[in-house]
């Protein structure tokens, strides 16, 4: 098992917890290169790069399903930029939608906070009453 990493070694090298490595393996994003007779996982050193790819993709807002699609583009489609660009554009649209929704929530909360600021401190909060209904 030369040049193979045990799960603990992979965790240290990649900075990803053992539980997270197992989770990504369960989701099909990574897989061990082999297992020992006792069931120990052994990973290729390149798995550390795969984990870094997954973590960076998550930081950019991609879901595990979307990351799986990106991995498939990288492996099966030889990393074609046109396919990757489609995924990036989809994510940009998704982020724009979320930003719009968050701005709407912020405007609503701002209106409510102004009403609370102008209300008598001893009166019941109308916002809390509305949430409770």
């Amino acid at each position: 098992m030369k040049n193979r990493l045990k799960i603990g070694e992979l965790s240290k090298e990649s900075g990803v917890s053992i539980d997270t490595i197992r989770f990504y393996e369960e989701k099909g994003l990574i897989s061990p290169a082999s297992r020992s007779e006792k069931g120990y996982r052994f990973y290729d050193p390149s798995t550390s790069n795969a984990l870094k790819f997954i973590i960076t993709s998550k930081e950019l807002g991609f879901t595990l399903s979307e990351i799986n699609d990106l991995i498939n583009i990288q492996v099966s489609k030889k990393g074609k930029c046109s396919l990757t660009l489609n995924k990036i554009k989809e994510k940009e649209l998704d982020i724009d939608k979320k930003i719009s929704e968050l701005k709407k929530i912020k405007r609503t909360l701002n209106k409510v906070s102004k009403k609370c600021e102008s209300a008598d401190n001893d009166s019941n909060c109308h916002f809390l009453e509305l949430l409770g209904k």
Side-chain angles (χ1 to χ4, degrees):
M1 310 264 176
K2 224 177 198 181
N3 295 327
R4 305 280 180 172
L5 301 170
K6 292 180 183 176
I7 196 167
E9 295 168 327
L10 178 61
S11 174
K12 285 179 186 171
E13 185 174 303
S14 65
V16 176
S17 74
I18 290 172
D19 287 340
T20 301
I21 293 170
R22 288 184 180 133
F23 176 76
Y24 291 151
E25 184 180 334
E26 180 184 309
K27 296 297 180 187
L29 297 174
I30 60 168
S31 59
S34 62
R35 285 186 180 256
S36 71
E37 290 178 13
K38 294 183 179 181
Y40 293 111
R41 296 168 171 92
F42 290 97
Y43 297 89
D44 284 325
S46 63
T47 308
S48 181
N49 290 334
L51 288 168
K52 291 173 185 171
F53 177 88
I54 293 166
I55 297 302
T56 302
S57 298
K58 281 183 50 89
E59 289 171 352
L60 291 173
F62 288 95
T63 66
L64 294 182
S65 175
E66 292 166 335
I67 293 169
N68 193 35
D69 291 344
L70 292 172
I71 291 170
N72 287 332
I73 290 169
Q74 186 177 29
V75 173
S76 305
K77 311 289 187 208
K78 309 277 190 266
K80 295 206 177 184
C81 216
S82 61
L83 298 173
T84 306
L85 181 61
N86 288 339
K87 294 294 178 186
I88 292 169
K89 291 296 184 185
E90 287 173 12
K91 184 50 63 181
E92 286 177 343
L93 289 172
D94 183 45
I95 289 169
D96 286 341
K97 182 179 174 185
K98 287 178 183 177
I99 289 171
S100 177
E101 291 169 356
L102 288 170
K103 284 182 177 181
K104 183 178 176 182
I105 291 169
K106 184 176 180 183
R107 282 191 303 272
T108 301
L109 289 173
N110 189 272
K111 287 178 187 177
V112 170
S113 69
K114 286 183 180 180
K115 285 187 178 189
C116 285
E117 287 170 357
S118 65
D120 180 9
N121 286 337
D122 292 330
S123 65
N124 289 337
C125 180
H126 299 293
F127 178 71
L128 293 176
E129 289 174 358
L130 285 173
L131 290 178
K133 291 184 180 183

